[in-house]
Amino acid sequence: MTESEPSTQLPLFYKEIVALNTDQHRTLTVSTSPSGYTFAAETNMVILTAVEFFEACRDYPIVFTRDAEDTIIPLALLGIQSGENLFVDEAGTWKETYIPGYVRRYPFILANIGAAELPVCIDQSFDGLDIEGGQLLFTDTGEPTEYCRQVEAFLLDFQQQHAATAAFTARMRELELFRPMDANIQMNDGRQFQLQGILLVDENRLARLGDVVVLDLFRKGYLGLIYSHLASVKNLNRLMGMKVER
């Protein structure tokens, strides 16, 4: 089951997903949330697509984990402790320049409803709906507005990148390049935190790959992704510093 398919468990952040309807949502407007990114303030990791690695590696540790379907997925680590996002402050401001696409797409999402149909859906519990000055989703004649079309294009691209990322992680798994990392983090003040279920690329196994395999990884763009991930791991120290500050 992919993340965009219907499930009894809603995706992270979403509470009341409904498909956009020209009759029901003709006058609906969407604005930036008055509370900023507080909807993401209690999550310590979000899904990343591979195309995001090059920007995300500057700010976040990029790690991997297995989902419920035993698919390996990349994550941006946002906090050391469950229920915390060290990049969102009390005012709902996201501290870093790059915000993961998974976060930016909210409150919209694509969902498979019916045969081969990919309608744009929205979380109707989002607090930025029907605020004065918001963006309309439909025209008076029921056509999608330019804003709505831009949202749909972003969501479709995100889904395509999600599929491309799955191909990347599948190839890494085939080459047995992942190793587990269960870390006990000791803070200067004596507190301890555990990171479990995390996977990293094993540099020793990577170095033992044959030339033909390495060339193939390079041509597919995978080698750059791997080194972006490895460079990002140093941001774990930064997370610990942010934890101390908070």
Side-chain angles (χ1 to χ4, degrees), residues 116-138:
E117 193 176 7
L118 286 173
V120 176
C121 297
I122 193 167
D123 184 352
Q124 61 183 3
S125 72
F126 178 59
D127 63 359
L129 303 183
D130 285 330
I131 297 176
E132 185 177 355
Q135 297 270 13
L136 283 167
L137 295 168
F138 298 101

Side-chain angles (χ1 to χ4, degrees), residues 62-66 72 178-181 197-201 229:
I62 299 172
V63 299
F64 300 85
T65 192
R66 291 181 175 87
I72 294 178
F178 291 113
R179 66 176 176 86
M181 185 199 78
I198 298 299
L199 301 172
L200 302 179
V201 169
H229 150 66

Side-chain angles (χ1 to χ4, degrees), residues 41-234:
E42 295 183 355
T43 180
N44 69 332
M45 58 185 68
V46 294
I47 293 172
L48 275 183
T49 58
V51 74
E52 299 180 271
F53 280 25
F54 302 109
E55 291 190 80
C57 71
R58 302 171 187 171
D59 301 317
Y60 316 105
I62 299 172
V63 299
F64 300 85
T65 192
R66 291 181 175 87
D67 66 10
E69 303 296 322
D70 198 34
T71 300
I72 294 178
I73 56 173
L75 302 168
L77 201 59
L78 307 176
I80 294 172
Q81 192 174 5
S82 178
E84 73 174 2
N85 183 343
L86 296 172
F87 295 91
V88 176
D89 63 20
E90 292 181 356
T93 302
W94 198 286
K95 294 181 180 181
E96 299 304 324
T97 302
Y98 185 74
I99 301 172
Y102 188 100
V103 177
R104 286 183 281 121
R105 72 175 180 171
Y106 184 76
F108 298 101
I109 191 170
L110 288 180
N112 288 323
I113 301 176
E117 193 176 7
L118 286 173
V120 176
C121 297
I122 193 167
D123 184 352
Q124 61 183 3
S125 72
F126 178 59
D127 63 359
L129 303 183
D130 285 330
I131 297 176
E132 185 177 355
Q135 297 270 13
L136 283 167
L137 295 168
F138 298 101
T139 65
D140 292 337
T141 59
E143 295 297 318
T145 61
E146 180 61 26
Y147 170 71
C148 188
R149 293 186 186 280
Q150 289 174 0
V151 167
E152 183 178 17
F154 176 81
L155 294 174
L156 287 169
D157 180 68
F158 184 86
Q159 180 161 293
Q160 290 167 359
Q161 295 300 337
H162 188 73
T165 303
F168 162 64
T169 56
R171 179 57 174 154
M172 298 301 98
R173 187 175 195 169
E174 180 184 5
L175 294 172
E176 299 182 343
L177 287 179
F178 291 113
R179 66 176 176 86
M181 185 199 78
D182 290 334
N184 292 315
I185 298 175
Q186 177 79 43
M187 307 294 287
N188 291 334
D189 60 6
R191 288 178 297 167
Q192 294 185 357
F193 301 98
Q194 288 187 326
L195 287 176
Q196 296 180 322
I198 298 299
L199 301 172
L200 302 179
V201 169
D202 189 317
E203 292 185 76
N204 291 327
R205 293 177 186 173
L206 180 65
R208 291 196 297 267
L209 293 177
D211 293 349
V212 173
V213 175
V214 171
L215 180 61
D216 179 63
L217 294 177
F218 170 75
R219 286 179 171 168
K220 288 179 177 177
Y222 292 172
L223 208 55
L225 298 176
I226 291 170
Y227 282 111
S228 292
H229 150 66
L230 291 172
S232 79
V233 176
K234 69 181 185 299

